[in-house]
């Protein structure tokens, strides 16, 4: 038999936790000395403690844990509970990864403050271009809002162009505009340069549009578009310092787009007020 302190050390938990588990009937001592009130535990109880801690770490409530370890839950129900918890954990991991990406983007932006490479920004006249594009709506303009929308759009676009017999003749061009409802949503246009008449491409859902020429402040972003924030803010600071005003969202022109997203090269073209 072990004292509560000894059992706590063997189970890698605190004595306070064991007292709480005793109080709620989750893990009672094997014996309590009637004279001193000291709790004593047997080695066989480590198995129950291990199950309690494992289920608790999975996010189950102590009430649910008690039902499982007391065999009040059959195997099918337990499997269902575990599958549900797995789905919840996977969703939490996805959300945490997205938050980490946001933090990294903000950190890069902060680190770039005061180190603005002005020679990276160029003013140029962007010629008119004809693109075939598909559209969808993103909930906002943050990278974590845009990436899940623009990626699938391009995956959809190229097979549709192949079906229509239209071949790309230049780079991909993603452009954005405010959603019609004024709720902060953004209309995403994922396109690629083509040599085809303007208008719908049959019933494919692809539309060929003529984008007019415009004056733009441009900068090249290298790496995943998840980290584009710092580059965009370099561009924004340059525009303010030079007394210019933006006229909408930046276009994103894909100059190099290998499988490794960190090797992407993208030109940002921010339209300027004349």
């Amino acid at each position: 038999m072990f004292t509560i302190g000894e059992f706590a050390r063997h189970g890698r938990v605190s004595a306070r936790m064991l007292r709480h588990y005793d109080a709620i009937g989750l893990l009672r001592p094997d014996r309590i000395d009637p004279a001193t009130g000291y709790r004593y535990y047997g080695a066989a109880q480590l198995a129950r403690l291990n199950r309690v801690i494992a289920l608790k770490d999975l996010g189950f409530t102590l009430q649910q844990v008690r039902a499982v370890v007391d065999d009040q839950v059959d195997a099918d129900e337990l499997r269902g509970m575990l599958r549900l918890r797995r789905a919840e954990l996977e969703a939490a991991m996805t959300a945490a990864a997205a938050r980490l990406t946001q933090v990294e983007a903000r950190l890069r932006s902060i680190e770039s403050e005061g180190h603005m490479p002005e020679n990276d920004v160029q003013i140029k006249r962007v010629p008119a271009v004809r693109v075939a594009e598909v559209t969808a709506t993103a909930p906002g303009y943050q990278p974590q809002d845009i990436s899940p929308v623009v990626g699938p759009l391009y995956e959809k676009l190229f097979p549709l162009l192949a079906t229509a017999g239209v071949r790309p003749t230049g780079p991909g061009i993603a452009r954005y505009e405010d959603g019609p409802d004024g709720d902060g949503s953004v209309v995403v246009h994922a396109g690629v340069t083509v040599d085809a008449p303007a208008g719908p491409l049959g019933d494919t859902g692809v539309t060929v549009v003529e984008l007019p020429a415009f004056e733009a402040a441009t900068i090249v972003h290298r790496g995943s578009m998840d980290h584009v924030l710092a580059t965009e803010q370099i561009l924004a600071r340059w525009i303010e310092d030079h007394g210019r005003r933006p006229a909408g969202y930046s276009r994103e022109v894909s100059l190099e787009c290998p499988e490794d997203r960190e090797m992407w090269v993208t030109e940002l073209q921010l339209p300027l007020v004349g």
Side-chain angles (χ1 to χ4, degrees), residues 41-53:
Y41 295 82
Q45 291 181 281
L46 287 170
R48 182 180 177 94
L49 176 62
N50 290 338
R51 285 164 174 74
V52 168
I53 299 302

Side-chain angles (χ1 to χ4, degrees), residues 21-259:
Y21 289 169
D22 179 18
I24 64 175
L26 185 57
L27 180 61
R28 297 196 181 280
D30 192 55
R31 184 174 71 85
I32 298 179
D33 188 308
T36 63
Y38 289 167
R39 298 171 174 86
Y40 292 91
Y41 295 82
Q45 291 181 281
L46 287 170
R48 182 180 177 94
L49 176 62
N50 290 338
R51 285 164 174 74
V52 168
I53 299 302
L55 291 167
K56 180 172 173 288
D57 286 346
L58 281 172
F60 290 107
T61 67
L62 291 180
Q63 182 178 1
Q64 291 172 322
V65 170
R66 182 175 179 179
V68 171
V69 297
D70 286 346
D71 294 327
Q72 297 174 12
V73 175
D74 62 30
D76 287 341
E77 189 175 356
L78 178 58
R79 277 193 293 270
M81 292 170 66
L82 291 173
R83 289 193 187 103
L84 176 60
R85 185 54 186 157
R86 180 178 63 186
E88 292 172 346
L89 290 172
E90 288 173 347
M93 289 172 62
T94 300
R99 286 196 296 272
L100 179 59
T101 297
Q102 295 174 44
V103 170
E104 289 175 345
R106 292 292 174 183
L107 180 59
R108 292 188 185 202
S109 179
I110 291 169
E111 289 174 341
S112 71
E113 293 173 3
H115 303 282
M116 185 171 62
E118 292 201 3
N119 59 342
D120 284 355
V121 179
Q122 297 181 8
I123 300 294
K124 67 181 182 182
R125 186 73 179 172
V126 177
V129 64
R130 189 167 291 179
V131 299
E133 62 181 28
V134 287
T135 64
T137 301
Y141 191 54
Q142 296 187 69
Q144 69 270 19
D145 296 324
I146 297 297
S147 292
V149 176
V150 72
L153 282 178
Y154 274 112
E155 292 174 2
K156 173 183 176 182
L157 174 63
F158 289 108
L160 291 174
L161 290 178
T163 299
V166 175
R167 297 180 59 184
T169 58
I173 299 176
R175 60 191 185 93
Y176 309 94
E177 58 187 352
D178 290 329
D181 297 329
D183 57 358
S185 63
V186 174
V187 179
V188 180
H189 302 264
V192 65
T193 309
V194 296
D195 183 11
L201 280 181
D203 58 357
T204 62
V206 179
T207 303
V208 177
V209 297
E210 183 86 27
L211 301 180
F214 64 99
E215 184 184 32
T218 68
I219 189 171
V220 173
H221 171 73
R222 300 180 186 277
S224 168
M225 294 303 289
D226 290 336
H227 308 308
V228 73
L229 182 64
T231 307
E232 286 187 330
Q233 292 188 357
I234 288 173
L235 193 56
R237 290 194 293 271
W238 188 96
I239 287 174
E240 182 178 84
D241 288 347
H242 289 76
R244 303 301 300 267
R245 291 182 56 208
Y249 293 90
S250 294
R251 284 188 193 173
E252 298 165 358
V253 181
S254 299
L255 303 179
E256 298 178 24
C257 196
E259 287 190 17

